[in-house]
Amino acid sequence: MPSNTLSPPGPAAVLCGLAGWVPPRVVTNDELAARLDTDDTWIRTRTGIRSRHVAEPGQATSDLAVEAGRLALRSAGGAPADAVIVTTTTPDRPCPATAPVVATRLGLAGAAAFDVGAVCTGFVYGLATAAGLIAAGVARRVLLIGADTYSTIVDPLDRTNAIIFGDGAGAVVLRAGRPDEPGAVGHFDLGSDGTHEDLITVAAGGSRQRSTGGEPTHAERHFAMRGKEVYRHAVTRMAASARATLEQAGWKTDDVDHFVPHQANLRILHSVADDLGLPRERCVANVDAVGNTGAASIPLALADAAAGRRIRPGDRLLLTAFGGGLTWGSCLMTWPELPPHPHP
Ligand code: COA
């Protein structure tokens, strides 16, 4: 009897390179308080953020992505990737995608290159996409970059959002390997709920606004968020997604050495950890120093924790994200041996 299986299960995606890059300019809470009606204590107690990095005028998302991508490729030993995925909410332009120019600037012209958009969940969606490309045999080595320059879409005079977001990029290289190897990513849980699309928006610049013909207002051109509702959804959706992933893998909460959530704000991260019954010390957080960097936040947190030797080979990680859309997602991995953190 011929087998009904058309092809054997494909290889797993195994993390083999990692790097983060943030623009050098640091903006402290005090600097924001000098131009906005806010103060350091309010920002720290509501969000856990002390400072964030901000791109220079003229610096676009691809510029940050190239820096992180170059370091990640170097960290993976320098071999070229045959696919490049950029996940971002702040592409250089509405058209074309940002990934092709990033690939070319990294010396990877000819590689498959495309963007993934899932707002702050982009990195976990990007990991699943990379894993799919590798499992399908479409790519053997994928460079996945999460990069965002929220400073280009947040109104600098909007005190609610200007305090939360920062600019940055984080990148990983994934190679084809075995599912039981350290570094293999798996047990994905991805989800969305478009009935809440209006909780996190940039109203203008897309076909919805352009189809009406009129010039967008100042507010429509900028990022808007219904903070309180987002907060509630973020906690419940992240906790549910994390649970679904753990269940899928047969892991107990106690099996998780490090919970690496999207760095939305510290109160959200701690609430999710509490909800899961995870000690807060197991929650990896660098939001105090970089703010919410959107699609870059998980790889930046991983890069910081790995560089500080907080995450060590063999540790078990739960990655969970939440973002506009609404979107959410989680996955699991065991930390691999990686070369020392590359410096620019
Ligand atoms: N400084 C001082 N006061 C501020 C302020 C700031 N930067 N921003 C808002 N306020 C004021 C509000 O105007 C309001 O004043 P009022 O009571 O006189 O109307 C008061 O503080 C409370 O505002 P509120 O929006 O209810 O605060 P909050 O406790 O919900 O905190 C957020 C606001 C945005 C920090 C919080 O809702 C949040 O963290 N949401 C989730 C955001 C997030 O992580 N998004 C990313 C998801 S991917």
Side-chain angles (χ1 to χ4, degrees), residues 113-176:
F114 60 98
D115 291 1
V116 164
V119 194
C120 296
T121 316
F123 185 73
V124 176
Y125 269 73
L127 278 178
T129 307
L133 290 177
I134 288 173
V138 175
R140 299 282 304 166
R141 208 170 172 89
V142 180
L143 172 63
L144 167 65
I145 309 172
D148 266 314
T149 44
Y150 269 88
S151 63
T152 62
I153 55 169
V154 170
D155 177 354
L157 297 179
D158 168 5
R159 67 173 179 174
T160 313
N161 291 314
I163 60 160
I164 292 176
F165 291 93
D167 300 337
V172 293
V173 179
L174 299 145
R175 64 165 172 80

Side-chain angles (χ1 to χ4, degrees), residues 5-340:
T5 308
L6 293 178
S7 58
V14 177
L15 184 96
C16 63
L18 167 72
W21 193 85
V22 285
R25 180 159 144 60
V26 175
V27 174
T28 61
N29 291 347
D30 284 339
E31 185 177 337
L32 288 178
R35 64 176 160 84
L36 296 171
D37 182 14
T38 188
D39 59 79
D40 175 56
T41 308
W42 195 96
I43 301 171
R44 269 192 296 107
T45 51
R46 301 290 175 118
T47 69
I49 299 167
R50 293 169 187 275
S51 60
R52 70 287 294 143
H53 292 253
V54 174
E56 296 295 337
Q59 215 167 21
T61 294
S62 64
D63 301 320
L64 278 58
V66 164
E67 298 292 347
R70 182 176 293 123
L71 293 172
L73 287 169
R74 200 187 298 165
S75 128
D82 45 17
V84 177
I85 304 172
V86 171
T87 175
T88 184
T89 305
T90 51
D92 285 13
R93 303 182 177 97
C95 173
T98 303
V101 74
V102 170
T104 297
R105 286 174 61 188
L106 289 170
L108 300 172
F114 60 98
D115 291 1
V116 164
V119 194
C120 296
T121 316
F123 185 73
V124 176
Y125 269 73
L127 278 178
T129 307
L133 290 177
I134 288 173
V138 175
R140 299 282 304 166
R141 208 170 172 89
V142 180
L143 172 63
L144 167 65
I145 309 172
D148 266 314
T149 44
Y150 269 88
S151 63
T152 62
I153 55 169
V154 170
D155 177 354
L157 297 179
D158 168 5
R159 67 173 179 174
T160 313
N161 291 314
I163 60 160
I164 292 176
F165 291 93
D167 300 337
V172 293
V173 179
L174 299 145
R175 64 165 172 80
R178 294 190 326 272
D180 58 349
E181 276 185 77
V185 290
H187 295 288
F188 284 94
D189 169 72
L190 302 179
S192 73
D193 181 356
T195 58
H196 298 292
E197 65 165 350
D198 55 342
L199 292 188
I200 295 176
T201 54
V202 177
S207 60
R208 177 68 63 203
Q209 173 266 316
R210 282 166 182 260
S211 69
T212 64
E215 277 302 308
T217 64
H218 177 84
E220 286 168 343
R221 279 191 281 110
H222 288 96
F223 180 88
M225 176 168 65
R226 304 225 302 262
K228 265 195 195 316
E229 288 160 81
V230 167
Y231 191 107
R232 274 202 310 275
H233 279 288
V235 174
T236 53
R237 309 285 193 172
M238 286 172 85
S241 177
R243 276 203 185 86
T245 287
L246 293 174
E247 255 170 50
Q248 203 188 116
W251 286 21
K252 299 201 177 6
T253 302
D254 214 36
D255 294 326
V256 176
D257 296 310
H258 305 285
F259 173 47
V260 189
H262 162 54
Q263 308 286 303
N265 90 39
L266 197 61
R267 282 161 64 215
I268 291 180
L269 311 194
H270 283 167
S271 296
V272 177
D274 293 351
D275 191 306
L276 293 172
L278 263 170
R280 290 184 179 183
E281 309 79 74
R282 293 197 206 164
C283 178
V284 171
N286 66 347
V287 66
D288 61 317
V290 296
N292 179 339
T293 57
S297 87
I298 287 182
L300 271 179
L302 286 172
D304 277 359
R309 304 286 296 156
R310 172 164 178 198
I311 299 179
R312 290 163 181 276
D315 288 353
R316 284 173 296 193
L317 273 60
L318 164 64
L319 276 47
T320 299
F322 170 85
L326 299 175
T327 54
W328 56 85
S330 298
C331 67
L332 300 174
M333 67 182 304
T334 300
W335 199 246
E337 192 80 57
L338 289 178

